[in-house]
Amino acid sequence: MTYKDKQFRLSGLNGISDETLEMHLKLYQGYVKETNRLTEKISEFLKDGNVDQEEMPAYSELKRRLGFEYNGMVLHEYYFDNLKKHGGGDPDRDASFRRATDSSFGSYNIWKADFMSVGNMRGVGWAICYQDPASGQLSNHWVTLHETGNVAGFNPILVMDVWEHAFLLDYKPTERPKYIEAFFSNIDWSVLDVRLGNLMHRKDKRSRAA
Ligand SMILES: [Fe+2]
């Protein structure tokens, strides 16, 4: 299985420069390349049908790094995909995402305060709003680096990169809140509804099959 980098036609965002986007997309392509390279190297260990004792240290290191690279690739795809030029504002009151924040947090504003606070946590990583497929409820989580803190089985609905590379060309390291404001002014809310809709569809299919 070889992954191909996805194409994102992103430019002219509010508060996130084209220079940042260009650099960030190159970083993303690096994750795709490294995911493919590690996957290929791991498959070489398995050619003879087993990983022997001598191979285990090198094999283990590659497997651990794969979690970092794989999540780095996938999270960046969610991130770029939930941004658009002239996005932002707040989601419509009858939008699925807005209604999901009301039912999960009591109000959209409480959800937003929680999500932004996760984004402002110290450290390098991501703020992610997930939907629990079992209950349909939304919850916001901090992910360190790319792989520590992802909730197994939960589905990412809104993904915000808060590594410094996401904003250092536009803001000082101490100005992460300004970047987060800029991120919010570029969200493609319709993508979030599509993500929620796809999950509902899958759930419907499952329940029909049961
Ligand atoms: Fe990034």
Side-chain angles (χ1 to χ4, degrees):
M1 172 81 194
T2 303
Y3 287 95
K4 201 174 166 335
D5 53 295
K6 291 189 176 175
Q7 301 300 306
F8 298 94
R9 289 201 197 109
L10 272 181
S11 63
L13 295 185
N14 178 42
I16 300 174
S17 65
D18 289 354
E19 199 187 0
T20 290
L21 288 170
E22 196 183 321
M23 176 274 299
H24 208 167
L25 284 163
K26 277 197 186 121
L27 278 175
Y28 155 65
Q29 287 157 3
Y31 286 111
V32 178
K33 208 171 151 190
E34 199 61 12
T35 297
N36 288 331
R37 199 176 72 81
L38 289 175
T39 304
E40 197 186 324
K41 275 186 162 295
I42 288 164
S43 75
E44 283 167 18
F45 280 92
L46 295 166
K47 270 185 183 152
D48 61 357
N50 76 305
V51 180
D52 59 37
Q53 201 60 34
E54 291 76 48
E55 292 171 325
M56 191 49 92
Y59 172 85
S60 303
E61 177 57 21
L62 292 172
K63 273 285 180 188
R64 289 200 177 96
R65 284 172 55 191
L66 189 60
F68 176 84
E69 302 292 348
Y70 225 120
N71 278 294
M73 172 178 75
V74 172
L75 290 178
H76 278 102
E77 289 171 356
Y78 275 98
Y79 171 76
F80 292 124
D81 209 34
N82 57 217
L83 291 173
K84 75 166 186 180
K85 190 177 181 177
H86 305 311
D90 290 323
D92 292 341
R93 288 200 171 274
D94 58 353
S96 302
F97 180 75
R98 177 90 177 224
R99 282 191 272 114
T101 61
D102 289 341
S103 87
S104 305
F105 286 81
S107 76
Y108 166 75
N109 286 334
I110 297 290
W111 167 83
K112 186 176 178 181
D114 186 56
F115 188 86
M116 285 183 135
S117 301
V118 173
N120 276 311
M121 283 168 57
R122 292 173 73 80
V124 173
W126 300 78
I128 303 179
C129 174
Y130 290 96
Q131 189 188 45
D132 175 356
S135 67
Q137 294 291 290
L138 301 180
S139 53
N140 298 320
H141 298 263
W142 169 261
V143 168
T144 299
L145 300 177
H146 303 309
E147 75 278 34
T148 308
N150 286 292
V151 186
F154 277 28
N155 296 295
I157 304 299
L158 177 64
V159 172
M160 178 168 69
D161 191 341
V162 289
W163 281 58
E164 285 178 351
H165 67 235
F167 61 89
L168 261 192
L169 297 180
D170 304 323
Y171 304 98
K172 296 188 184 105
T174 51
E175 293 179 327
R176 197 196 285 184
K178 284 191 187 169
Y179 157 72
I180 291 174
E181 288 289 346
F183 172 86
F184 260 80
S185 70
N186 296 293
I187 293 175
D188 186 347
W189 295 108
S190 68
V191 165
L192 277 58
D193 276 13
V194 169
R195 288 174 183 169
L196 286 172
N198 287 342
L199 296 175
M200 293 283 284
H201 183 60
R202 267 193 267 162
K203 209 173 171 184
D204 285 352
K205 265 176 137 174
R206 266 209 308 272
S207 59
R208 270 201 299 279

